Amino acid sequence: MKIGLLGCGIVGSGVYDIITQNMSPMVVDFEVLKALVKTPEEIIRPDMTNNVDDIFANDEIDTVVEAMGGIHPAYEFITRALKAGKNVVTANKAVVAKYLNEFTTLAKENGVKFMYEASVGGGVPWIKSLRQAMRIDEITHIGGIFNGTTNLILSEMEEKGLSFDECLKTAQKMGYAEADPTADIDGIDVRNKLIISTSIACGKQVLAEEIMTFGIRSIKECDLAYFKTLNKHIRLYAEAVIEDGKYCCRIEPRLFNVDEPEAGIKLNYNICSLYGKTIGTLKYIGQGAGKFPTANAMVQDLLDIDCGNATLPELDFNGNATCDMARLEGSYYVRYSEAVADKVEAAFDGIEYTAVEVNGAKAFVTSVIPTITLHDRIESVADAMPEIFVARV
Ligand code: HSE
């Protein structure tokens, strides 16, 4: 296999190392012919170039590994590679979530493979497992902790009492966070991963604007202290139900009992789960972010292409999946500052809730309500959002 590598950052260099340092006997015949860097100053090896045409114009290169991240120019490069008859392997969840249908169609039209195992769950073999489960079952539920950065933040704040900023810095230093960590903290990265997973399960494209999303930006020490009194652990959890041809997705901080597997997921680890009628619940755990776990998933895709193993049922994402946002419900913890108390309490008028004791702030726990109702009420006080933290209890 002759490879053109787009991007030599953390993940790209991981792929390069696994291949060139012969970390696996199965990749000895793999060769990185060209590796794209952004500027001439970054060129430190003869295979490196800052001109992408050196990759597309090279007929020897049969497979492009995209490890740049972001939508542009990743979208243009992936479409160009597929149209040029080159297989594409990518870890880029943002571009895959948006253009899954287009990339899949282009790959089919050009007789090549488009593989994106590393885009969800890092090193966890999730996409392959999901597709394998679909050979027998309809998947009616998907759940998971899909982001290493926020999981590190929450588990380290919880366990070591460290501050949000300290934990975020660690995630950045370890190479887990996105270039702009807003995507991690506000649940956007998880949303992309849930779009990909749910689109696969539905066989149709799921849209970002139909996913109810809360992140962890406004969590404070007082929230964690309260959850500790309940003997519960907080994680950023993604969930989809798919029934009667309709899907409903949400991403939100959620509390877990100590004996639930999600409560034990720490640092950069992810957990990905599915439910199917005959298999029941399946859960997969592993490192969801980081150089070698993510690169490992990309090299697994390369091996599947090379061995002719990339043959799970073809997916066709034609058309949009139908959403019914009213299908999920829950009881919610809402914490807010004194400054916005009147607004928040007015916004929840008519909803049954119980005030709870939280040091230095006001908080209540609602009765079981549709998740969409919670989002509508919070939306009505969106300007106060930095002062509000929401979690499902
Ligand atoms: N920023 C992502 C995370 C990288 O922290 O999970 C892996 O997709």
Side-chain angles (χ1 to χ4, degrees):
M1 181 175 265
K2 309 285 186 218
I3 295 161
L5 180 58
L6 300 175
C8 296
I10 290 161
V11 174
S13 65
V15 172
Y16 185 85
D17 289 353
I18 291 178
I19 292 173
T20 59
Q21 293 175 16
N22 289 333
M23 290 188 182
S24 152
M26 291 193 71
V27 299
V28 286
D29 291 334
F30 289 9
E31 204 180 337
V32 178
L33 292 189
K34 285 281 167 210
L36 182 74
V37 291
K38 284 192 193 128
T39 60
E41 293 71 44
E42 289 168 78
I43 296 174
I44 50 165
R45 295 190 311 258
D47 60 281
M48 285 180 159
T49 175
N50 67 318
N51 179 2
V52 76
D53 292 334
D54 289 343
I55 290 178
F56 294 121
N58 188 328
D59 291 337
E60 262 196 282
I61 291 177
D62 51 57
T63 303
V64 165
V65 171
E66 188 269 310
M68 297 184 308
I71 304 280
H72 300 290
Y75 166 76
E76 288 76 12
F77 290 175
I78 290 174
T79 49
R80 225 177 130 184
L82 294 170
K83 283 180 185 168
K86 298 180 193 301
N87 304 303
V88 171
V89 168
T90 180
N92 183 339
K93 48 268 155 126
V95 83
V96 174
K98 201 160 173 197
Y99 297 107
L100 193 48
N101 180 12
E102 192 173 329
F103 293 155
T104 308
T105 307
L106 267 182
K108 222 179 283 175
E109 284 170 3
N110 290 281
V112 291
K113 297 290 176 196
F114 173 65
M115 307 279 283
Y116 45 93
E117 179 61 67
S119 66
V120 186
V124 181
W126 164 242
I127 288 177
K128 196 188 283 186
S129 306
L130 176 60
R131 291 184 61 186
Q132 188 161 305
M134 286 169 65
R135 294 197 286 201
I136 296 177
D137 279 328
E138 267 180 38
I139 305 305
T140 53
H141 187 267
I142 285 171
I145 297 170
F146 285 145
N147 183 272
T149 299
T150 45
N151 202 62
L152 182 145
I153 292 173
L154 294 175
S155 61
E156 289 287 271
M157 283 179 83
E158 207 173 64
E159 203 154 280
K160 299 196 180 140
L162 300 172
S163 74
F164 187 103
D165 290 342
E166 263 176 295
C167 297
L168 174 58
K169 274 196 194 113
T170 305
Q172 288 173 309
K173 208 170 73 198
M174 299 296 288
Y176 303 153
E178 297 302 297
D180 175 2
T182 300
D184 295 298
I185 292 160
D186 291 336
I188 311 302
D189 179 76
V190 178
R191 192 171 70 189
N192 289 331
K193 292 163 174 169
L194 190 60
I195 289 173
I196 296 169
S197 307
T198 312
S199 296
I200 292 172
C202 292
K204 286 183 186 295
Q205 178 77 45
V206 164
L207 302 176
E209 54 272 25
E210 291 177 339
I211 300 192
M212 299 177 277
T213 308
F214 282 126
I216 63 160
R217 179 181 290 273
S218 53
I219 194 166
K220 289 190 174 149
E221 278 84 357
C222 64
D223 301 311
L224 290 157
Y226 173 67
F227 303 147
K228 202 170 186 175
T229 66
L230 305 177
N231 200 21
K232 294 199 179 205
H233 296 269
I234 181 114
R235 298 290 181 262
L236 183 60
Y237 194 70
E239 199 175 2
V241 289
I242 307 143
E243 285 161 346
D244 320 319
K246 292 188 179 149
Y247 77 90
C248 182
C249 289
R250 65 182 169 194
I251 293 151
E252 59 200 6
R254 176 184 161 186
L255 297 186
F256 288 94
N257 292 324
V258 277
D259 57 356
E260 292 181 276
E262 287 76 6
I265 304 300
K266 294 179 186 173
L267 302 170
N268 63 326
Y269 277 73
N270 282 189
I271 184 167
C272 312
S273 55
L274 60 82
Y275 181 85
K277 197 172 168 187
T278 67
I279 193 65
T281 298
L282 276 176
K283 292 186 191 249
Y284 305 85
I285 297 172
Q287 292 187 72
K291 175 176 172 171
F292 282 121
T294 312
N296 180 303
M298 298 189 90
V299 177
Q300 292 285 4
D301 276 350
L302 294 175
L303 285 166
D304 279 343
I305 295 172
D306 195 51
C307 308
N309 238 357
T311 54
L312 285 164
E314 286 292 333
L315 292 166
D316 171 5
F317 298 101
N318 229 344
N320 295 333
T322 310
C323 176
D324 174 6
M325 284 198 193
R327 293 201 175 204
L328 288 167
E329 57 180 28
S331 170
Y332 287 92
Y333 164 85
V334 181
R335 189 266 303 143
Y336 46 101
S337 69
E338 194 69 59
V340 298
D342 289 348
K343 260 187 181 182
V344 174
E345 285 161 16
F348 280 79
D349 193 34
I351 290 179
E352 208 180 295
Y353 62 74
T354 311
V356 292
E357 277 292 320
V358 172
N359 255 348
K362 298 193 80 176
F364 57 74
V365 174
T366 71
S367 55
V368 174
I369 55 172
T371 302
I372 186 65
T373 303
L374 173 84
H375 279 258
D376 288 345
R377 300 294 174 110
I378 294 287
E379 185 63 30
S380 73
V381 289
D383 56 332
M385 199 49 202
E387 303 289 317
I388 305 171
F389 179 72
V390 174
R392 184 148 60 91
V393 297

